């Protein structure tokens, strides 16, 4: 077995052994009565997190594929889409939209600031023909939590369809798709669902289906990433074969194992776990002289972004943690490379043992650098 590196990355996270063991069961058929039982349990668990009664599809592949499916099925080439972007994953939504030949109306914010619903209202007034608004909820690359509820409410008021990337927030904070007006919502298995990668999830509400149905017939769109393919198979085969393609059944069993555990713990308790871990890391690192990249109000509880310091390069810290402590943290992406590092609170990283190891390793690094952290200060937030 390869060396185990403790993950404090913003995804993937280290998952529990019982989740991994679920992968080692004999391969099941992804259809028939035994599978349908698993499928229905998966759907009812997903509904707890999504809080939606609308269609949910479980599809093989990365979450980005389902963002591709969403935007590509809703926005024909040449039509406008308003795309929120205040980081790397927002930019990905821009790229996906352009990939389908859509005209992107950029809805931006500085990388350490959340997207502003007022600004969205303005852009919607200026672009009455942009029927879709897409944005990221938790921008994992900057650790900014965008105000999903307020943004979706603004879009709903203006009669637009909302596509939300909740890949790194679903399961970590409250989301209520139906109440908030989130029409299409995409998430993945290896952020706050704390399971293994390989399958992803998308909900599609009635208002979004109306737009899908208005998509010009005859436009070239492929097959696998067309929402209509998924609906057709659900309608025609749904009673025994819930997907048009072979499902990664072992991976789904692992996700099921994790979702059952989170549901048993209770969602509020799961959310609180991230909050506690993030507060411990924020307080601890601030006590020894680090500055946070994002103000408390809009900072995520799932990943903490920390600014570089003049005394050392982030690459030196990353190297030290990897070589001396077998730990991985995240660096900055794109324009933030070398400017911030990111500490994930996913999976085991939210547990005391991991938190202690991480904070002690950070303290040891500062000592080696002669920065003399006040004794005990780094652990002060770990109550
Ligand atoms: C991780 C992440 C993605 C990408 O997910 P994949 O499964 O790798 O496609 C997209 N958006 C956000 C916000 C993420 O954190």
């Amino acid at each position: 077995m390869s060396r185990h590196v403790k993950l404090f990355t913003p995804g993937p996270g280290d998952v529990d052994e019982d989740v991994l063991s679920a992968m080692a069961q004999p391969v099941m058929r992804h259809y028939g009565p035994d599978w349908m039982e698993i499928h229905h349990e998966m759907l009812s668990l997903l509904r707890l997190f999504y809080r939606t009664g609308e269609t949910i599809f479980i599809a093989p592949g990365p979450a980005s594929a389902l963002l591709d499916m969403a935007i590509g099925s809703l926005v024909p080439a040449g039509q406008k889409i308003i795309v929120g972007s205040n980081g790397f994953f927002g930019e990905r939504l821009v790229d996906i939209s352009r990939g389908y030949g859509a005209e992107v109306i950029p809805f931006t914010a500085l990388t350490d600031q959340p997207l502003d619903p007022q600004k969205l209202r303005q852009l919607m007034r200026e672009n009455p023909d942009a029927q879709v608004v897409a944005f990221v909820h938790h921008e994992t690359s900057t650790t900014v939590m965008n105000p999903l509820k307020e943004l979706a409410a603004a879009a709903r008021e203006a009669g637009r369809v909302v596509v939300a990337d909740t890949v790194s927030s679903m399961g970590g904070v409250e989301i209520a798709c139906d109440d908030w007006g989130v029409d299409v919502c995409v998430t993945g298995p290896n952020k706050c669902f704390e399971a293994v990668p390989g399958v992803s999830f998308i909900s599609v509400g009635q208002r979004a289906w109306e737009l899908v149905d208005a998509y010009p017939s005859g436009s070239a769109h492929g097959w696998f990433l067309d929402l209509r393919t998924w609906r057709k198979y659900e309608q025609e085969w749904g009673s025994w074969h819930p997907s048009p393609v072979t499902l990664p059944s072992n991976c789904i069993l692992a996700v099921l194992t994790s979702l059952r555990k989170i549901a048993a713990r209770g969602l509020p308790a799961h959310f609180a776990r991230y909050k506690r871990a993030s507060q411990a890391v924020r307080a601890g690192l601030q006590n020894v002289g680090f500055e946070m990249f994002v103000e408390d109000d809009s900072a995520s509880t799932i990943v903490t972004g920390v600014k570089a310091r003049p005394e050392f390069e982030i690459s030196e810290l990353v190297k030290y943690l990897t070589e001396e402590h077998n730990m991985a943290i995240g660096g900055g992406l794109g324009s933030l490379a070398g400017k911030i590092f990111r500490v994930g609170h996913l999976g085991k990283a939210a547990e005391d043992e991991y938190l202690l190891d991480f904070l002690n390793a950070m303290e040891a690094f500062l000592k080696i650098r002669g920065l003399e952290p006040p004794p005990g200060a780094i652990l002060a937030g770990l109550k």
Side-chain angles (χ1 to χ4, degrees):
M1 201 174 140
S2 58
R3 180 176 72 125
H4 177 238
V5 177
K6 281 191 173 168
L7 299 181
F8 294 90
T9 32
D14 269 339
V15 307
D16 288 342
E17 279 64 28
D18 54 346
V19 174
L20 295 176
S21 308
M23 300 275 289
Q25 294 176 30
V27 176
M28 285 180 75
R29 285 166 297 172
H30 57 281
Y31 52 84
D34 291 349
W35 188 259
M36 287 311 292
E37 211 171 293
I38 286 166
H39 181 68
H40 287 303
E41 187 181 353
M42 273 297 291
L43 288 183
S44 49
L45 284 165
L46 287 169
R47 289 191 193 291
L48 293 178
F49 293 89
Y50 272 85
R51 305 242 304 264
T52 184
E54 305 274 9
T55 316
I56 296 180
F57 296 127
I58 300 172
S64 302
L66 300 197
L67 292 165
D68 213 307
M69 182 191 285
I71 291 174
S73 304
L74 288 165
V75 191
Q79 288 196 12
K80 285 184 184 171
I81 175 173
I82 297 175
V83 185
S85 173
N86 51 348
F88 179 85
F89 290 107
E91 276 307 302
R92 179 170 293 183
L93 297 178
V94 170
D95 289 343
I96 292 172
S97 304
R98 295 208 172 115
Y100 283 102
E103 182 187 337
V104 171
I105 309 298
F107 165 33
T108 56
L110 296 175
T111 49
D112 60 351
Q113 297 295 320
L115 296 168
D116 176 4
Q118 267 316 103
K119 188 164 176 183
L120 175 60
R121 287 195 181 89
Q122 174 72 26
L123 285 168
M124 291 189 297
R125 273 196 299 274
E126 289 165 9
N127 297 280
D129 49 344
Q131 290 181 291
V132 177
V133 177
F135 56 87
V136 176
H137 182 200
H138 171 218
E139 178 48 82
T140 326
S141 70
T142 63
T143 72
V144 169
M145 189 64 82
N146 286 314
L148 175 61
K149 186 179 179 181
E150 290 74 17
L151 292 167
R156 175 61 65 97
E157 256 167 51
R160 315 303 165 95
V161 167
V162 172
V163 174
D165 168 348
T166 64
V167 179
S168 64
S169 53
M170 177 83 65
V173 290
E174 187 192 21
I175 293 174
C177 290
D178 291 355
D179 286 353
W180 295 0
V182 181
D183 302 291
V184 178
C185 186
V186 171
T187 198
N190 192 237
K191 303 273 170 74
C192 306
F193 281 178
E194 306 195 341
V196 297
V199 65
S200 302
F201 315 98
I202 183 170
S203 68
V204 188
Q206 193 46 48
R207 288 155 39 88
W209 283 121
E210 286 164 18
L211 212 49
V212 170
D213 287 329
Y215 194 95
S217 60
S219 309
H221 185 102
W223 182 83
F224 180 66
L225 295 184
D226 189 336
L227 279 171
R228 290 172 296 189
T229 304
W230 287 76
R231 180 174 58 181
K232 178 174 186 297
Y233 275 81
E234 188 185 53
Q235 285 169 350
E236 294 175 12
W237 293 25
S239 62
W240 68 285
H241 189 298
S243 146
V245 296
T246 308
L247 290 168
S249 42
N250 294 59
C251 168
I252 292 173
L253 292 175
V255 180
L256 178 62
T257 305
S258 187
L259 294 188
R260 275 179 185 155
K261 286 205 305 185
I262 299 171
R265 180 187 290 155
L267 270 57
H270 193 63
F271 303 156
R273 203 164 159 261
Y274 291 101
K275 193 162 183 191
R276 174 175 176 274
S278 65
Q279 283 173 347
V281 168
R282 281 179 90 80
L285 294 183
Q286 279 171 321
N287 283 348
V288 297
F290 285 97
E291 279 181 47
M292 300 298 111
F293 183 59
V294 179
E295 302 274 352
D296 290 355
D297 290 353
S298 40
S300 131
T301 53
I302 297 156
V303 182
T304 296
V306 187
K307 287 188 195 172
R309 290 169 62 156
E311 302 96 337
F312 54 87
E313 299 288 330
I314 287 174
S315 56
E316 296 171 296
L317 171 65
V318 169
K319 185 163 183 275
Y320 170 80
L321 291 175
T322 313
E323 288 178 1
E324 304 299 322
H325 296 272
N326 254 330
M327 286 175 188
I329 56 171
L333 292 175
S335 64
L336 293 175
K339 300 204 171 100
I340 64 167
F341 65 89
R342 294 172 302 148
V343 185
H345 311 301
L346 307 166
K348 291 186 176 181
E351 290 171 7
D352 277 359
E353 186 205 322
Y354 267 55
L355 286 167
L356 271 172
D357 280 358
F358 171 71
L359 292 169
N360 283 329
M362 289 296 290
E363 183 178 52
F365 176 77
L366 295 177
K367 280 186 181 156
I368 289 171
R369 289 304 182 116
L371 294 170
E372 296 177 9
I378 204 162
L379 297 182
L382 196 61
K383 288 189 275 306

